[in-house]
Amino acid sequence: MLHTVQAQTYTTGHTRWNGVWSEPTNGDGLIVEGEVDNVRNHTVADNAGNHARYQVVVLHVTAARKRAFDAKGEIDTQLAQKETFKRTGYLPQYKHVEVHDPYNVPVNEGHFEL
């Protein structure tokens, strides 16, 4: 949700789509954290005369996680702990091992690596 205390004027963009435009509906999506860099309105027009209007929000992303679903709905993908202990032998000796997080999306300098 965007909160602002000042009036904003958004720039606009337009794309002419060759063929018939259909909105992509597959994929589980992402949960992202970051700062809003830019907001603009965008229109996609196809050869059949259909127009789709979108609001584009450009983010400087600091963290991202994949969303996951099962038969009951969305499952919690938050990582409970970042490291665990691994036993190294017969005596009670352990080493710290970083836990693999399958839902983490690497973010380098604000750009996604998908």
Side-chain angles (χ1 to χ4, degrees), residues 30-31 63-66 101-108 112-114:
L30 298 170
I31 299 171
R65 298 190 63 72
K66 295 177 187 176
D101 184 5
Y103 300 107
N104 184 47
V105 176
V107 179
N108 294 332
F112 281 115
E113 293 183 3
L114 295 177

Side-chain angles (χ1 to χ4, degrees), residues 34-74:
E35 296 181 17
V36 175
D37 187 38
N38 186 15
V39 179
R40 67 178 189 269
N41 294 320
H42 197 82
T43 303
V44 178
D46 65 10
N47 292 340
N50 299 319
H51 294 274
R53 291 178 177 84
Y54 300 95
Q55 189 164 49
V56 179
V57 180
V58 180
L59 299 172
H60 177 75
V61 178
T62 56
R65 298 190 63 72
K66 295 177 187 176
R67 295 175 69 192
F69 297 87
D70 61 10
K72 297 177 185 175
E74 187 169 4

